[in-house]
Amino acid sequence: MKGKLSPLLILLAAILWGTTGTTQAFAPVTAHPIAIGATRLAVGGIFLGLMVLLIGKLDFKHWPIKATILASLSMALYQPLFFSAVSITGVAIGTVVAIGSAPILSGFIEWLFFKKRPAKVWWCSTFLSIIGCLLLFSNKESVYVDPIGIAMALGAGLSFAIYALVSSTLVEGRSSLSVVAVVFTLSAIWLSPCLFIFDMSWILSVRGVGASLQLGIMATGIAYLLFAKGLIHVSASTAVTLTLAEPLTAAVLGVFLLGEYLNITSLLGLLFLLLGIGILIWPFKRSANEKELSLVQK
């Protein structure tokens, strides 16, 4: 049952991540994207830290320090790299390159360093999902390819891929809550200088507080906790491909909450995304059902 629910936990995390764009649209216009990213990690780290203190699951015995530092640095780097890529080369290209490259990079890294060759269904799912992303964002704006922006977007994709791979090792035999609490507290510390570089007066407004709590608690604290729990039974490469549900969620919210319009190409992109994610989840459901049937027969 746990194995069957694991991909669904990751999908739920991706859905929560998909709310970030809509939340930022409702945030004060004076809020700089990098400042929002730093605030998101700070609020998320505090939230997770308080949860650990209340539940009392933090245990530093035999804690892998190097892996924790690598995971926290990867997550801290992802924020400014992604937001900078979007601001330089545009939302469409920046998002597609960053989100689309992450599953490919995670698959190759897992293959090279962990000797885990991705299954054929993963290749098929990743291909369909990335095509879906390309179609989904094709009508957002005119295409502007900037080499620096592309490099930053690839850096963001690599950062997230490394975070997912390292986190999959951290959650082995440890509390998922403790892992994400420690990692995001460190990530918030790495990005804390941004809170003093950019204007933070926006955070004192009602909309600023609302956006910070939504991004920090729901789209960071709870989302990454679900993602970490899912990683216990799902490979990192599969998990990163499943997170391509994030742009799907963002597109749907954009239609219903921001009044955006999806043309035929974008709708076809949504269909490809759903198909790619669906064929990746199907093996988990089938294997879980087979296990339940074998238990009944016994």
Side-chain angles (χ1 to χ4, degrees), residues 135-151:
L135 294 174
L136 181 61
F137 286 98
S138 63
N139 72 321
K140 293 294 183 180
E141 58 190 14
S142 59
V143 175
Y144 173 64
V145 179
D146 183 283
I148 296 177
I150 295 297

Side-chain angles (χ1 to χ4, degrees), residues 20-21 23-40 83 87 194-195 197-212 215:
T20 57
T23 303
Q24 289 182 32
F26 287 104
V29 294
T30 56
H32 193 280
I34 295 180
I36 291 178
T39 303
R40 173 186 179 184
F83 289 125
S87 64
C194 295
L195 300 176
I197 296 174
F198 299 97
D199 178 23
M200 299 298 298
S201 59
W202 58 271
I203 202 172
L204 298 176
S205 64
V206 175
R207 292 173 64 182
V209 171
S212 300
L215 290 171

Side-chain angles (χ1 to χ4, degrees), residues 103-104 107-108 111 117-129 241 279-280:
I104 297 175
F108 278 114
W111 190 356
R117 186 174 182 177
K120 291 181 179 179
V121 67
W122 177 86
W123 288 106
C124 182
S125 171
T126 301
F127 175 77
L128 288 173
S129 300
T241 297
I279 65 174
L280 198 59

